Amino acid sequence: MSGAGAGREPVVDVPERWEVVAVKEHFQARVIGVRTETVRMPEGVTADRDFVVHPGSVAVVALDDERRVLLLRQYRHPVRRLLWELPAGIRDVPGEPLVAGAARELAEEAAYRAETWHTLVDIYTSPGMSDERIRIFLARGLTEIPEEERDFVHRHEEIGMLTEWVPLADAARLALEGKIHNSPAVAGILAAYAASADGFTSLRSADAPEA
């Protein structure tokens, strides 16, 4: 077993771009596209890489004063399951700051506002097949939006969506037991549980740049 020593690579994801020598667009839907890029690898040979092109997403771990996390249950047809998820949405407003998009999704999907926002964790959902990246925020100091101020329009899948407040420690246990499967929910819950050890003081600001 090797220890930490001189010359050891730091454990940090870094940008890298292999030369793209050809691009073929196969499909474009409302949100996603499918593309093949032919890339030149370091050895000089070329290889095709098929992947889903995605605009990216944001998600929110909304934590109340009792350290309960807000979860929403939503049907996901590709996996044929009702999944417990975080309030989340696509980055579909050009130029909108990520935290503003997260606040909008928290309002639209859960009818809550938050006073305090931090960047919790950044993830690629499935980097072998998609370029989708998600920034997950921690939102605290929650207040419910009054009925008369709820002027947003729900998407079809959001109508009648079940919500549940779950103690953060219980949510972390459920994720580790394989009872919560949604990737941003699992990542966000476990990250929030880990960050709670120092009272969330180590978290990045809500407007921290994406590396």
Side-chain angles (χ1 to χ4, degrees):
M1 182 182 296
S2 61
R8 184 174 180 181
E9 284 287 331
V11 183
V12 179
D13 294 339
V14 295
E16 173 80 1
R17 286 185 179 273
W18 292 355
E19 180 189 4
V20 177
V21 298
V23 177
K24 185 175 182 179
E25 304 286 352
H26 298 286
F27 171 77
Q28 182 62 54
R30 181 180 62 86
V31 175
I32 65 168
V34 178
R35 175 187 300 169
T36 298
E37 292 187 351
T38 304
V39 298
R40 192 179 310 281
M41 302 172 73
E43 298 83 5
V45 299
T46 59
D48 289 341
R49 294 290 181 259
D50 308 316
F51 62 97
V52 173
V53 180
H54 193 286
S57 308
V58 292
V60 185
V61 174
L63 206 61
D64 70 5
D65 294 339
E66 299 176 48
R67 289 209 174 177
R68 299 179 304 170
V69 60
L70 177 62
L71 297 178
L72 316 173
R73 195 175 72 172
Q74 188 158 323
Y75 175 66
R76 294 301 186 184
H77 186 70
V79 296
R80 288 5 183 228
R81 284 177 180 255
L82 286 165
L83 298 183
W84 286 102
E85 305 183 354
L86 305 174
I90 297 166
R91 305 180 187 185
D92 54 1
V93 179
E96 182 179 51
L98 296 182
V99 67
R104 178 168 51 82
E105 293 297 339
L106 180 61
E108 291 177 358
E109 292 197 345
Y112 275 88
R113 297 191 183 103
E115 180 179 347
T116 304
W117 290 85
H118 285 93
T119 295
L120 186 55
V121 70
D122 294 309
I123 63 172
Y124 288 104
T125 54
S126 185
M129 62 167 288
S130 174
D131 66 354
E132 181 187 13
R133 68 185 304 169
I134 301 181
R135 166 154 289 188
I136 305 174
F137 292 91
L138 177 68
R140 293 176 294 158
L142 304 176
T143 55
E144 192 169 6
I145 299 174
E147 285 282 353
E148 61 272 16
E149 295 181 25
R150 300 180 190 180
D151 55 356
F152 34 80
V153 178
H154 287 293
R155 296 182 289 268
H156 290 301
E157 65 269 20
E158 295 171 348
I159 298 173
M161 194 158 48
L162 185 64
T163 63
E164 189 72 43
W165 289 96
V166 181
L168 181 59
D170 290 349
R173 175 180 53 79
L174 291 169
L176 294 175
E177 289 176 352
K179 295 177 180 177
I180 296 176
H181 299 83
N182 175 267
S183 60
V186 171
I189 288 167
L190 294 180
Y193 185 68
S196 68
D198 67 1
F200 309 109
T201 58
S202 61
L203 292 179
R204 290 170 287 162
S205 65
D207 60 355
E210 284 187 305

